[in-house]
Amino acid sequence: MNRKLKETKLTGTLSQDAQPYEALHRKVAKSAAAEGFVLLKNDQHLLPLAKGTKLALYGAGASNPIKGGTGSGDVNEREVVSIYDGLKQAGYEITTESWIKSFQKQYEQSRLEWRQRIWDEADKATGDPMAFFNAYASMQYAMPAGDMPEKTDADTAVYVISRIAGEAADRYDAESDYYLNKKEEEILKTICSLYRNVILLINSGGIIDLSFLDTYDNISSVVLISQPGMETGNAVASIFTGEVTPGGKLTDTWAYKYEDYPNSKTFSHNNGNVQTEEYTEGIYVGYRYFDTFQVPVRYPFGYGLSYTDFAITVKGISKAQDNSISVTVSVTNKGTAYSGREVVQIYVSCPQETMEKEYRRLAGFAKTGLLAPGQSEEMTITIPLYTLASFCTRTPGWVLEKGVYGLFAGSSIATASLAGTVSLDEDALLIKTGHICPLKDKLQELSAPRETVQALRNSWLSRADSVPSLNVEASSLQTATVVYGKEKDNISPEVWQFVDSLSVDQLTLLATGDPGKSQNADEDQKDSALGSAGISVPGSAAQTSSCALKDKNLAPIVLADGPAGLRLLQSYPVVKGEIQPVPFEMSLEHGFLVRNAKTPVDGAELYYQYCTAFPIGTLLAQTWDPALMQEVGKAVAEEMNLFSVTLWLAPGMNIHRNPLCGRNFEYYSEDPLLAGKMAAAMTDGVQSVYGCGTTIKHFACNNQEDNRMGSDSVISERTLREIYLKGFEIAVKESQPMSIMTSYNLINGIHAANNYDLCTKAARDEWGFAGVIMTDWTTTQNGPDCTASGCMRAGNDLVMPGVPNDHSDIKAALEDGNLSLEQLKLSVAHLVNIVWKSNRYDA
């Protein structure tokens, strides 16, 4: 096939003026943020507020909101609209101008001091190319609290609690992080004493302690705004005015206290051991634990209020021919003043005859359109029977146990009531598999009190005759048997013919990123500019090798970080048509951390690459709206095309196993079905634009950041499959993303990047993944336990960002027989297949 390569050109524009795409995508970002805000409390219907209302605005995030997380999840956007500016422009009178001005001075000074501490720490590790990034990651910026409040001419105060977290470091169960610090407590106490009504905005990428709500009754409204991206202020204003009725729902359980989470004592650094992380809670993650063990919570999974009220009525259930069941529901807006949207959530309670299970699990959901007062909408939610299956390690395979399955419908797990039952006459094996990722030693997992779970089931079983029922015969369900080792059969003859024509040198180079594109690499190119190694698109994460471009017309493709938008340099210098290298620090914090910044040489032109900062992953998932996710994905892909990016290193979709994971902001939920559905929708949106693709990550069990490159996740096969792989499985089967990124950690003693069971047996053989699998950056540069040749043997096709040592390792393994030429060719074949489908070629 004759493929026409697109002409390469410098990305961005010479003008600093806002471009048409920016305005369009900011609207998408604002809409997504407002749709994902979760109204947690709204006593006496305090919100919305009439325009012109006087508001006393306090808190670190009032003038400097946290738009997103730090590290590779950052975006170098044009600007962030502050909450102060957003409310003021919407017509509210802010009575605390002097407080905000004073805070701004404190903020700017504290930023300078923070920067100096990073520089000083980096200087201690001379010769370490990662010294700066390690110092940056380990010394998260902490916002000052500001002055003590004084009474102003307002009845209502707004207090913004902000928290920062990011890559390479976990959070702490401590003041200024999970808890308020003493100054924040004093400020909040004072605000509550001075003002009749207080509105709390939670500007955090993860869960924080809210026990102070039990002390201050006049905190009338609480809104989880998470980290909303560059349109923060405008999105907040839209719910204050009532332009948007909040419709977001929690994707996590907010416990009364941190100690209520089942792994609170042992998570990450909490027990002093960041080398081994034992997943002793098993399948009881998030609401699966709280619901099953009947532990009271402050806000349950799926919870979220509105400015109006809805009624959900189940109309019936039916069985479809494709081994699925359908639940038909009607939703009515019962209010009289506000339009709004509701999320219908379906949970299933599975039989407990031979396999212990959580009491209920999320099985399906759907979000209504905008319903006016009195308006109704009927929806059908389809649930594959496979969603009801559990993994049986004895078989091994996915099994539906005989018995009665209860279907619960509602607007959260707490309000979901029995809506129907499905009865299965015999056990049914749906998918016969092999084993993966065996434990090296026995792991003692948490077990639910059988009598408690049975009592919960008996309670609804006694009412089963009052709801619709459905009978399913096991004989009508067919068993699929996974055939392993057939991944080569999925490669087209054209791709094989091309790969067979490549030299060993070309194959070796194509199996890694292009080290020649590493910014500021030293002579040995050990400094791979973590997350910013691409130079043809400045600030991009990396690009693949161009070794087969001239003679084979195989284009290199560019990869850029996410998942809140593209992370590129805001601007870069060009002299006589040549891009000039800039320090790696330019890729972080808008270049604020660069030391000895030099003015571009005479004759340099500046090209500008302004990308949209969308809301963080958790907030996007709080919309529970796959259609909106697709819209965000399409907007990201349009920017990918503008900046010649093929693969977006997103979405992140690891499970929120514990609230203190430093990277939870990038990820969607504690629930794998919701995470998988959101990732599939995002992928569909991105890949609706020709030649653009997603990279679902981090595969798998990347649930802590401390010692992320050496931590061993010790986990049972069933827990691994049902909780931590399930979302990836859903995303692959429903949307077939172009790529998968493996994680840094080990799983039961084997690095994810060198894990054949993960990369080949699970992803390719069991799920049918057809794209390219890549490593996370510098995975193979941290010791002999994870190598480039090991990646090829495992089915991990692309080592990123690539350094000469990776090439040496591959060639040595070929020579000594530890890596076969066929294994190397298979990895390159997967890459070629994606490159040919990329936006580097005309459609």
Side-chain angles (χ1 to χ4, degrees):
M1 184 184 295
N2 184 25
R3 294 176 177 82
K4 185 178 179 183
L5 196 62
K6 287 183 180 177
E7 180 184 354
T8 57
K9 58 182 181 180
L10 296 172
T11 57
T13 64
L14 286 167
S15 171
Q16 272 194 290
D17 294 340
Q19 303 299 304
Y21 75 88
E22 293 184 71
L24 293 172
H25 295 171
R26 289 180 72 149
K27 288 181 180 178
V28 176
K30 175 188 171 184
S31 175
E35 283 289 332
F37 289 165
V38 183
L39 184 62
L40 297 174
K41 183 180 181 181
N42 198 28
D43 290 350
Q44 308 302 315
H45 302 285
L46 178 59
L47 287 173
L49 291 166
K51 293 183 178 181
T53 300
K54 293 180 179 180
L55 295 175
L57 180 61
Y58 300 98
S63 55
N64 293 278
I66 308 302
K67 73 172 194 297
T70 63
S72 64
D74 196 7
V75 178
N76 292 306
E77 74 295 325
R78 179 183 290 272
E79 65 172 346
V80 176
V81 179
S82 73
I83 295 171
Y84 165 74
D85 286 334
L87 291 176
K88 194 169 182 179
Q89 291 166 14
Y92 296 100
E93 182 180 341
I94 306 301
T95 63
T96 49
E97 302 266 0
S98 60
W99 190 95
I100 290 171
K101 287 180 181 177
S102 174
F103 174 84
Q104 196 62 28
K105 292 179 182 178
Q106 297 173 40
Y107 171 81
E108 292 169 0
Q109 180 61 35
S110 69
R111 292 275 292 178
L112 293 173
E113 294 170 357
W114 169 65
R115 181 174 67 181
Q116 188 61 53
R117 289 196 300 272
I118 291 175
W119 290 348
D120 292 345
E121 184 67 21
D123 287 344
K124 294 178 183 177
T126 55
D128 180 0
M130 294 296 294
F132 169 79
F133 183 82
N134 290 337
Y136 169 70
S138 64
M139 303 176 71
Q140 289 288 351
Y141 172 65
M143 304 274 273
D147 299 332
M148 291 301 294
E150 296 178 355
K151 184 70 172 78
T152 65
D153 183 21
D155 288 329
T156 301
V158 179
Y159 186 50
V160 187
I161 298 177
S162 297
R163 289 294 184 264
I164 298 174
E167 183 178 10
D170 287 318
R171 297 173 58 202
Y172 280 84
D173 176 26
E175 291 184 6
S176 300
D177 193 341
Y178 194 78
Y179 300 96
L180 299 183
N181 59 45
K182 287 182 173 58
K183 183 68 178 293
E184 288 173 321
E185 287 181 357
E186 291 175 9
I187 288 174
L188 181 59
K189 180 180 180 180
T190 302
I191 290 172
C192 289
S193 69
L194 295 176
Y195 297 93
R196 185 172 63 186
N197 299 310
V198 177
I199 298 170
L200 178 70
L201 301 182
I202 305 172
N203 175 211
S204 169
I207 294 172
I208 63 171
D209 176 69
L210 295 178
S211 58
F212 55 80
L213 293 179
D214 301 327
T215 302
Y216 305 112
D217 293 337
N218 59 334
I219 300 180
S220 302
S221 296
V222 180
V223 186
L224 174 61
I225 66 170
S226 299
Q227 293 171 338
M230 66 189 298
E231 282 290 296
T232 293
N234 291 331
V236 168
S238 72
I239 64 164
F240 269 56
T241 63
E243 172 194 337
V244 175
T245 294
K249 303 286 185 178
L250 292 179
T251 64
D252 296 302
T253 304
W254 286 54
Y256 275 109
K257 56 184 185 295
Y258 176 68
E259 292 78 13
D260 287 342
Y261 293 97
N263 50 31
S264 60
K265 292 181 180 179
T266 59
F267 175 75
S268 187
H269 48 246
N270 285 351
N271 63 351
N273 177 9
V274 295
Q275 302 299 320
T276 303
E277 187 72 10
E278 294 187 342
Y279 286 51
T280 54
E281 72 278 7
I283 62 172
Y284 297 109
V285 177
Y287 71 85
R288 284 171 164 81
Y289 169 74
F290 293 100
D291 190 44
T292 305
F293 286 74
Q294 294 289 282
V295 177
V297 300
R298 184 173 295 280
Y299 296 119
F301 178 81
Y303 173 83
L305 301 175
S306 173
Y307 292 158
T308 188
D309 296 307
F310 299 93
I312 299 173
T313 305
V314 176
K315 310 291 284 187
I317 61 174
S318 60
K319 183 176 182 297
Q321 294 181 346
D322 59 351
N323 286 345
S324 63
I325 55 178
S326 296
V327 181
T328 302
V329 298
S330 177
V331 183
T332 302
N333 182 346
K334 298 193 304 177
T336 59
Y338 297 100
S339 299
R341 304 179 67 192
E342 179 63 295
V343 177
V344 179
Q345 303 163 36
I346 307 294
Y347 297 86
V348 62
S349 178
C350 299
Q352 302 270 346
E353 301 306 317
T354 57
M355 291 175 61
E356 180 179 327
K357 305 177 189 71
E358 68 284 286
Y359 170 47
R360 290 182 294 184
R361 74 177 71 153
L362 183 67
F365 63 91
K367 193 168 189 175
T368 68
L370 188 65
L371 299 180
Q375 187 178 2
S376 299
E377 179 180 343
E378 191 170 286
M379 301 185 298
T380 298
I381 301 172
T382 300
I383 302 170
L385 287 173
Y386 181 51
T387 305
L388 281 53
S390 298
F391 189 79
C392 177
T393 54
R394 296 187 307 274
T395 305
W398 293 94
V399 173
L400 280 175
E401 284 199 302
K402 70 176 180 179
V404 183
Y405 294 74
L407 300 176
F408 293 73
S411 58
S412 75
I413 193 167
T415 63
S417 58
L418 186 66
T421 63
V422 178
S423 297
L424 182 68
D425 59 346
E426 298 290 344
D427 288 353
L429 175 61
L430 298 185
I431 302 179
K432 179 75 169 69
T433 71
H435 288 293
I436 61 170
C437 303
L439 281 163
K440 289 187 173 181
D441 299 301
K442 190 173 182 180
L443 178 69
Q444 185 65 46
E445 291 184 309
L446 187 64
S447 181
R450 185 172 180 82
E451 57 276 10
T452 300
V453 178
Q454 196 57 53
L456 290 168
R457 282 183 55 80
N458 288 341
S459 177
W460 64 258
L461 281 167
S462 67
R463 308 190 308 275
D465 291 342
S466 64
V467 296
S469 61
L470 191 67
N471 293 315
V472 176
E473 295 180 354
S475 59
S476 68
L477 306 176
Q478 295 184 337
T479 299
T481 300
V482 176
V483 178
Y484 295 96
K486 296 291 185 179
E487 66 271 16
K488 288 187 285 189
D489 298 343
N490 298 323
I491 306 296
S492 72
E494 184 188 14
V495 170
W496 276 125
Q497 184 178 5
F498 179 87
V499 172
D500 284 339
S501 73
L502 297 170
S503 68
V504 172
D505 282 344
Q506 286 175 318
L507 290 168
T508 302
L509 292 172
L510 287 168
T512 78
D514 189 346
K517 297 297 182 281
S518 179
Q519 295 179 356
N520 303 324
D522 59 26
E523 290 182 3
D524 296 325
Q525 293 181 329
K526 293 176 183 175
D527 178 3
S528 52
L530 182 65
S532 189
I535 198 171
S536 62
V537 180
S540 59
Q543 68 187 56
T544 59
S545 176
S546 58
C547 66
L549 175 61
K550 290 184 178 179
D551 62 335
K552 301 291 186 181
N553 198 41
L554 185 70
I557 58 173
V558 173
L559 300 78
D561 275 323
L566 299 182
R567 188 167 75 91
L568 305 177
L569 290 183
Q570 241 185 19
S571 63
Y572 64 93
V574 175
V575 175
K576 296 180 180 179
E578 294 292 326
I579 297 171
Q580 303 301 299
V582 298
F584 163 65
E585 292 87 337
M586 281 295 294
S587 67
L588 300 168
E589 306 282 340
H590 300 84
F592 173 71
L593 300 172
V594 176
R595 267 196 280 198
N596 304 319
K598 296 178 181 177
T599 304
V601 296
D602 291 341
E605 296 178 302
L606 278 181
Y607 279 73
Y608 298 93
Q609 304 180 120
Y610 290 111
C611 298
T612 306
F614 293 94
I616 59 169
T618 303
L619 192 155
L620 290 175
Q622 287 168 189
T623 68
W624 291 65
D625 188 347
L628 182 57
M629 296 290 281
Q630 289 185 32
E631 187 178 359
V632 172
K634 188 171 185 287
V636 171
E638 288 168 354
E639 294 186 17
M640 291 168 69
N641 260 346
L642 283 172
F643 298 110
S644 300
V645 173
T646 294
L647 290 179
W648 186 37
L649 303 180
M653 52 180 303
N654 291 104
I655 295 298
H656 292 172
R657 176 177 175 248
N658 185 283
L660 299 187
C661 175
R663 218 162 173 177
N664 274 352
F665 70 93
E666 289 194 14
Y667 307 144
Y668 290 140
S669 175
E670 67 188 23
D671 180 75
L673 182 132
L674 182 60
K677 292 286 186 181
M678 293 295 103
M682 182 67 80
T683 295
D684 285 341
V686 169
Q687 295 185 178
S688 69
V689 176
Y690 175 78
C692 296
T694 61
T695 306
I696 58 175
K697 65 181 188 181
H698 304 87
F699 189 56
C701 297
N702 188 176
N703 309 111
Q704 77 175 58
E705 287 296 293
D706 281 16
N707 190 34
R708 59 181 178 162
M709 294 189 179
S711 176
D712 186 5
S713 299
V714 179
I715 184 170
S716 71
E717 181 180 7
R718 181 184 175 194
T719 298
L720 176 66
R721 286 180 176 275
E722 290 192 12
I723 305 297
Y724 299 96
L725 297 188
K726 180 57 69 173
F728 288 96
E729 177 186 358
I730 291 169
V732 167
K733 288 182 174 179
E734 294 191 3
S735 65
Q736 197 57 250
M738 277 193 182
S739 58
I740 293 174
M741 181 192 292
T742 54
S743 53
Y744 288 126
N745 54 281
L746 297 80
I747 298 177
N748 293 335
I750 300 175
H751 280 277
N754 278 188
N755 198 312
Y756 180 85
D757 284 3
L758 274 186
C759 299
T760 299
K761 290 184 70 175
R764 295 201 186 278
D765 294 337
E766 295 184 13
W767 308 339
F769 178 65
V772 65
I773 300 178
M774 71 179 74
T775 70
D776 204 341
W777 271 227
T778 73
T779 292
T780 59
Q781 298 173 44
N782 295 281
D785 294 335
C786 186
T787 63
S789 58
C791 289
M792 305 300 112
R793 288 192 299 272
N796 197 337
D797 311 301
L798 187 60
V799 177
M800 297 304 293
V803 292
N805 285 344
D806 292 325
H807 305 148
S808 301
D809 178 77
I810 291 172
K811 288 182 177 179
L814 287 172
E815 291 174 1
D816 64 23
N818 284 326
L819 176 68
S820 72
L821 188 59
E822 286 303 308
Q823 287 172 317
L824 179 58
K825 284 184 176 181
L826 181 59
S827 290
V828 174
H830 290 141
L831 175 65
V832 169
N833 189 43
I834 291 303
V835 171
W836 279 352
K837 296 175 182 176
S838 75
N839 54 3
R840 286 303 314 278
Y841 299 91
D842 288 334

